[in-house]
Amino acid sequence: MNDILTVEKLNKSFGSKKVLKDVSFNVQPGKIVGLVGPNGAGKTTIMKAILGLFDFQSGNILVNGERISIVHHQPLSDVGALIEYPGIYPFLTGRQHLELFADNETTRKEDIQNIITKLNIESYIDRKAKGYSLGMKQKLGIALALLNKPKLVILDEPMNGLDPKATKELRDLILQLTKAGTTFLISSHILSELEKLVDEIVVIDDGKIIKQTSMEALSDSNGNYLVLTTSDDEKARKVFIDEGIKLEQTTEIRIKKTSDDQLASLIQLLSNHGVNIIDVQHEHSDLETSLLDLLDNKQVEE
Amino acid sequence: MVTLIRQEIFKLIHKRSTLIGTIALLVLMTIFAIFSKLQPSFSDPKGDFIAAYGGLSWVVFFMIAACSTIIAMEFQYGTVKELLYRKYYRGQILASKWITMFLYSLYFYVLSFIFSIILKLVLFNSKFSLTDLYSNDQSIMHTTLVTYAGNFVGLWLLLSLVLLLANVFKSSAAAISVGIVGYFATSIVSSLLFMLINKWEWVKWNPLNMLNLPTQLSNSTVVGTLTRLSNAELVWGNLIYTAIFLFLGYLIFRKRNV
C-alpha cells in the first residue's frame, strides 16, 4: 500500500546546530504511529517540517506522494494538526473557532456539532476561549485538528493537560477514527498511553531515527520473560546452563521468551531431570522499558 | 483566497477593539463638532467638515493599531501555526490580511464621511452648504473628496510600513510605536526635511516627503514649492513606496520559520 506520509533523509540545522540528521520514516494509511524520544530529540521539529512550517536544508517530505515544502502546501488540505500548544484566539468562543476553520460550506454545522459531541466539549463550547483551562484549550485544539475529516492527523503531545477521563475519551476517539480510515502520527511523553494506541513506533534521539518498528515486534524483541519458581532452583539453573539456555542475571530464574511453545519444552526438560515447576509468571516489558533499553543500547553502540 | 478573507473579517468583527474603535471614532468626532459649534471663533466649520471633524486623524491611529495586531496577534496567541500549515500559500495568507485591512480602512473612511454629513446636518446646517466654494475655487464637497483621497493614499503608505514592521518585530507594540512616531515625525521633521530638499534635490524622493500628500492637495501652491514634487508625483511616490514596503513584508513572511 502507498504511504500516506514519507520522510526521506531530512536534514535541518538551526545555525550551526544540526537538529535533524538524515531522518527517514514512513507512515501507512490507517495506522497510528507514535513518534517518541527524549526532550529535544527533534519530534516537534519533524512535525513542523511535515506541516511546511520550516525550511529544511535537504531531504523530501511527501504527503500522499506529493512534495511538501515551506512554499508548497497544497497536499496539506488532507492534514489536521495540533503542534506544541493549541493556538486559540481569546476573543472567540470555541464554536466560533470551529466555524472559522470549517471548510465545507454545506456540512459545516453538522461537522462542527459532530466534533463537539465526540470530544464532549458541549458544556463550554459557547464560552469565550480566554476563560478556558489548559485542558479545555487542549480539547479545542484537538477538535480543530480533527475538523474537516482529515486523512492524516498529526498530534504533538495530545494528552497534555487532559484528565484521565478525557485521556481515555481521546484514546477511544482516535481508535474509532482509525477504524474509519484516518491515519495518526502522535508524539507523547506519556508512554503508557501511547502504548495503548499505536501500531508502530518511530524512535528518535538527538535528531536521528534509531528505530521504526511495530509495537508487537518491539515488545517481542525487547522484553517478554518467563519467570520460573521450581522445587530446586539451583539444579534447574544448572540444567538450563548445561542445555545452553540463557538466563538473565537476576535472583529468580528468568528466561527471555522466544516462542509460544517454549514453556512446554522447558517444563519437559526440567521434569526429565526431576525438577518440578511450582509457579510460572509471564513478564511483559512495557513500552517505557523497551524504549529505555533501546536508547541505552544506542549509547553503548556509540 | 475568499475563504481566507472571510476568516480575517470574521476575526476582526469578533474582536472587541473593532466595536470600541467605531464607537470611539463617533464619540470623538461628536465632541470635536460640539466644541467647534460652541467656540465658533476658534473653528472653521467648513474646514472641520472637510477633515471629518478630526475623524481622518483618529482613523490613522485606529488603523495603525489594527494593522500591527492583525499580524502580531497570530504570533502572540500561537495561532500562526494554525493558519500556516493549511493548504494555502503564505502569500495568500498575508494578502488576505492586507485586503481585510484595506476594507477596514475603507469602512472607517465611509463611516467618517457619513457621520460628518450627519453632524453637519444636525449642528451646522445653516452655516454652509456642501456646494459652497472653498479653496482653489472648488466646492466643499469636491475638496472633501480630494482630501479624503489624499489622506487615504498617505495612510496606506504609513500602514504598509506598519505591516512590514509588525512582521519584523513579532510584536504589535513595536509596530504601533513606529507607526505613530512616523505619523508625528512628518509634521515635526517636515521643516527640516524641506531645508534638506532645498540643499539636495534628490532628498525629495524619500518616503517622509511623500507623506505630505494630503497637505499639498489642500494647498498645492505653497506646499508644492516645499516638497518640490507635483501632486501626481506625490501620488505615484506614495503608491510605489506602499508597494515596496508590502513586498518587503511578503519576502520576510514567506520564509519565516514558525
Side-chain angles (χ1 to χ4, degrees):
Chain A
M1 204 186 291
N2 287 337
D3 295 332
I4 191 163
L5 170 69
T6 313
V7 178
E8 291 171 343
K9 294 191 172 300
L10 196 65
N11 284 288
K12 164 84 189 160
S13 303
F14 287 121
S16 60
K17 189 174 169 11
K18 262 197 132 185
V19 287
L20 297 181
K21 303 162 189 166
D22 275 334
V23 167
S24 298
F25 67 94
N26 61 317
V27 177
Q28 288 182 338
K31 297 275 183 197
I32 307 175
V33 176
L35 190 60
V36 295
N39 286 335
K43 303 185 293 289
T44 303
T45 311
I46 291 177
M47 290 181 153
K48 281 185 170 180
I50 295 169
L51 295 170
L53 297 175
F54 265 158
D55 224 358
F56 41 87
Q57 275 77 29
S58 63
N60 273 322
I61 296 170
L62 307 170
V63 170
N64 272 328
E66 278 190 72
R67 263 198 92 186
I68 299 281
S69 74
I70 197 164
V71 290
H72 186 64
H73 276 204
Q74 201 54 40
L76 294 174
S77 56
D78 280 339
V79 179
L82 168 61
I83 300 293
E84 289 173 329
Y85 54 92
I88 304 280
Y89 299 102
F91 52 86
L92 295 182
T93 66
R95 193 186 297 276
Q96 284 167 344
H97 277 87
L98 295 166
E99 283 169 4
L100 187 63
F101 290 112
D103 270 350
N104 194 324
E105 293 285 339
T106 45
T107 60
R108 172 189 299 245
K109 275 217 155 114
E110 206 180 302
D111 289 347
I112 291 173
Q113 194 49 51
N114 201 1
I115 218 89
I116 290 171
T117 314
K118 275 182 178 159
L119 278 162
N120 198 11
I121 50 181
E122 186 79 64
S123 61
Y124 57 85
I125 198 69
D126 290 312
R127 275 167 29 201
K128 286 251 162 49
K130 66 179 167 198
Y132 283 13
S133 69
L134 182 66
M136 289 169 169
K137 283 183 185 166
Q138 187 71 6
K139 276 184 148 186
L140 179 57
I142 294 166
L144 287 169
L146 298 178
L147 191 71
N148 301 326
K149 303 190 177 79
K151 292 198 176 83
L152 172 65
V153 181
I154 297 178
L155 300 175
D156 188 12
E157 302 287 345
M159 276 83 173
N160 261 1
L162 297 188
D163 59 35
K165 184 167 168 277
T167 305
K168 184 177 180 313
E169 282 169 356
L170 175 61
R171 193 170 66 224
D172 292 346
L173 177 61
I174 291 174
L175 289 170
Q176 186 194 333
L177 289 170
T178 312
K179 270 188 195 146
T182 311
T183 310
F184 284 87
L185 177 66
I186 302 175
S187 80
S188 179
H189 279 117
I190 310 172
L191 296 174
S192 54
E193 272 309 320
L194 211 54
E195 194 173 22
K196 292 174 193 159
L197 268 176
V198 301
D199 302 307
E200 269 187 42
I201 138 163
V202 175
V203 185
I204 178 168
D205 188 24
D206 196 20
K208 277 188 285 196
I209 300 288
I210 300 175
K211 193 162 193 145
Q212 173 168 15
T213 176
S214 70
M215 273 305 284
E216 258 174 25
L218 182 70
S219 74
D220 281 354
S221 70
N222 237 350
N224 283 345
Y225 292 93
L226 295 169
V227 181
L228 308 180
T229 312
T230 65
S231 55
D232 187 348
D233 279 0
E234 207 170 313
K235 191 173 176 188
R237 236 178 245 281
K238 193 171 173 304
V239 170
F240 286 141
I241 290 166
D242 289 347
E243 285 294 318
I245 294 169
K246 195 176 168 233
L247 298 179
E248 297 294 316
Q249 303 280 337
T250 48
T251 48
E252 70 268 82
I253 301 173
R254 209 153 170 269
I255 298 167
K256 194 163 187 175
K257 194 175 168 189
T258 51
S259 67
D260 286 340
D261 51 8
Q262 186 187 16
L263 181 59
S265 61
L266 292 176
I267 294 171
Q268 183 72 50
L269 181 66
L270 287 181
S271 73
N272 286 348
H273 288 82
V275 180
N276 293 326
I277 290 183
I278 299 166
D279 186 33
V280 180
Q281 282 175 11
H282 294 261
E283 238 182 39
H284 298 278
S285 78
D286 52 13
L287 179 59
E288 188 172 54
T289 319
S290 308
L291 192 67
L292 290 173
D293 281 352
L294 207 59
L295 293 173
D296 283 347
N297 287 341
K298 183 213 154 214
Q299 276 165 7
V300 171
E301 277 167 29
E302 280 176 352
Chain B
M1 190 68 182
V2 177
T3 311
L4 288 171
I5 297 170
R6 187 184 58 81
Q7 287 180 354
E8 290 303 327
I9 293 175
F10 185 91
K11 285 186 267 184
L12 189 63
I13 288 171
H14 287 93
K15 269 169 76 175
R16 219 166 43 168
S17 59
T18 309
L19 182 65
I20 293 173
T22 301
I23 294 170
L25 179 68
L26 301 183
V27 170
L28 289 164
M29 284 171 70
T30 311
I31 292 172
F32 191 98
I34 291 173
F35 185 77
S36 170
K37 170 96 177 167
L38 295 176
Q39 302 286 334
S41 51
F42 291 107
S43 61
D44 161 22
K46 293 174 185 172
D48 291 345
F49 172 81
I50 290 165
Y53 300 100
L56 294 187
S57 307
W58 289 114
V59 167
V60 177
F61 294 111
F62 296 144
M63 283 309 302
I64 288 175
C67 283
S68 55
T69 44
I70 199 171
I71 292 180
M73 79 167 173
E74 305 289 357
F75 290 95
Q76 193 181 335
Y77 300 144
T79 43
V80 67
K81 294 179 300 240
E82 202 70 56
L83 281 185
L84 293 187
Y85 86 70
R86 287 163 200 274
K87 62 185 172 188
Y88 304 101
Y89 292 105
R90 287 193 175 194
Q92 289 178 310
I93 291 165
L94 193 60
S96 71
K97 290 184 178 290
W98 294 343
I99 293 168
T100 306
M101 284 296 103
F102 186 78
L103 295 174
Y104 193 37
S105 59
L106 276 182
Y107 158 77
F108 270 133
Y109 266 63
V110 170
L111 184 71
S112 302
F113 181 71
I114 293 172
F115 200 60
S116 294
I117 301 248
I118 293 171
L119 287 173
K120 185 231 172 266
L121 290 177
V122 175
L123 297 170
F124 303 98
N125 209 21
S126 56
K127 287 269 165 70
F128 63 94
S129 144
L130 293 180
T131 49
D132 289 355
L133 288 185
Y134 193 64
S135 63
N136 302 330
D137 288 335
Q138 301 286 1
S139 71
I140 290 180
M141 193 51 147
H142 184 270
T143 313
T144 304
L145 293 179
V146 170
T147 306
Y148 274 50
N151 271 287
F152 192 74
V153 173
L155 170 70
W156 265 93
L157 172 56
L158 205 58
L159 294 182
S160 64
L161 192 60
V162 172
L163 286 165
L164 167 65
L165 293 171
N167 229 328
V168 177
F169 291 141
K170 233 188 201 182
S171 124
S172 54
I176 292 178
S177 322
V178 173
I180 290 175
V181 167
Y183 178 62
F184 284 122
T186 45
S187 49
I188 296 167
V189 303
S190 59
S191 52
L192 177 71
L193 196 67
F194 293 147
M195 274 161 54
L196 289 176
I197 291 171
N198 213 10
K199 202 167 178 190
W200 298 293
E201 179 81 9
W202 55 268
V203 179
K204 69 183 182 185
W205 296 110
N206 87 80
L208 279 184
N209 196 29
M210 300 299 161
L211 288 169
N212 286 310
L213 172 67
T215 335
Q216 177 162 328
L217 282 179
S218 59
N219 201 346
S220 324
T221 44
V222 182
V223 188
T225 55
L226 295 172
T227 61
R228 300 277 183 96
L229 292 169
S230 70
N231 288 351
E233 282 172 334
L234 272 180
V235 169
W236 278 109
N238 268 280
L239 295 177
I240 290 168
Y241 271 115
T242 304
I244 290 173
F245 290 145
L246 289 179
F247 184 68
L248 286 177
Y250 164 70
L251 287 183
I252 294 170
F253 191 74
R254 199 172 86 103
K255 285 283 180 179
R256 189 164 182 174
N257 288 337
V258 293

